[in-house]
Amino acid sequence: PKPQNPRRVKNKNYFFIWRWKNIFKQILTFKIIIDKNKKFHMEGAQRKMIVGGNWKCNGTVQSIKDLVNDILNKAEYDHNKIEVLVSPISIHIASVKALLKENIKVMAQNMSGTGNGAYTGEISAEQLKDFDVQWVLIGHSERRNVYGETDAQVAAKVAKA
């Protein structure tokens, strides 16, 4: 049972568990175990590891076909534990999506901080969603250093995503 005021509980271990369970209960479900040596262990649901490949500004139609068919689609891994993402340049997103097995997801390399409209060369969040691209790389150091993206611009993109 949850105490009225956890700070007044004499058992400090109970307070620690109660406090951290409440902090993390919306992130993931887990149980903290305290063993006889007073070491903490977590049991329960864990997040999937994410392995991604940013292809930057590389690839031809043929090199992408070869990469997808000869390497990515033949890769063996535990789909329940690892999420695999690839991030081709925008003109190759359609062909990569068509060639890849379902378990590997395609991620956009960038996204506009604006919506649809007269923004030459931009890709909006709405367009990515319409195309069933569920992942996007926002705030990459190259975008910040080379193109001068600011925290405010990155924040606008995250808000749109």
Side-chain angles (χ1 to χ4, degrees):
K2 184 171 92 174
Q4 286 285 24
N5 183 350
R7 290 190 177 106
R8 293 187 181 178
V9 173
K10 290 180 183 178
N11 181 343
K12 290 182 181 179
N13 288 339
Y14 179 81
F15 168 67
F16 181 83
I17 292 171
W18 180 84
R19 182 174 175 203
W20 284 102
K21 274 188 178 178
N22 282 298
I23 290 170
F24 288 109
K25 72 182 175 183
Q26 292 181 7
I27 299 172
L28 53 99
T29 304
F30 67 91
K31 180 169 57 172
I32 298 176
I33 307 297
I34 305 172
D35 68 17
K36 60 185 174 185
N37 298 323
K38 302 218 181 225
K39 291 186 180 178
F40 295 91
H41 305 279
M42 286 176 45
E43 289 183 356
Q46 299 292 314
R47 296 178 74 176
K48 275 186 172 182
M49 291 182 64
I50 298 173
V51 177
N54 181 359
W55 298 358
K56 308 227 178 230
C57 190
N58 294 301
T60 62
V61 172
Q62 188 57 51
S63 70
I64 286 179
K65 285 180 184 176
D66 294 341
L67 177 63
V68 170
N69 293 326
D70 298 342
I71 297 173
L72 293 173
N73 284 341
K74 292 180 181 178
E76 295 181 21
Y77 59 94
D78 187 342
H79 308 291
N80 297 316
K81 293 182 179 179
I82 300 171
E83 184 87 37
V84 177
L85 309 169
V86 295
S87 190
I89 59 174
S90 58
I91 61 171
H92 290 301
I93 287 177
S95 58
V96 170
K97 279 181 58 102
L99 292 169
L100 275 175
K101 288 183 177 178
E102 236 175 68
N103 54 325
I104 299 176
K105 304 298 181 203
V106 174
M107 173 173 56
Q109 290 185 8
N110 192 25
M111 182 192 82
S112 175
T114 61
N116 290 330
Y119 304 104
T120 303
E122 294 293 320
I123 300 173
S124 72
E126 296 86 359
Q127 291 166 328
L128 291 173
K129 184 177 179 181
D130 182 54
F131 205 64
D132 197 32
V133 175
Q134 300 170 2
W135 295 83
V136 62
L137 181 57
I138 297 173
H140 193 285
S141 61
E142 287 176 7
R143 298 291 312 170
R144 291 170 166 268
N145 296 330
V146 177
Y147 299 102
E149 281 189 1
T150 64
D151 288 347
Q153 289 170 315
V154 171
K157 291 179 180 189
V158 170
K160 288 285 184 184

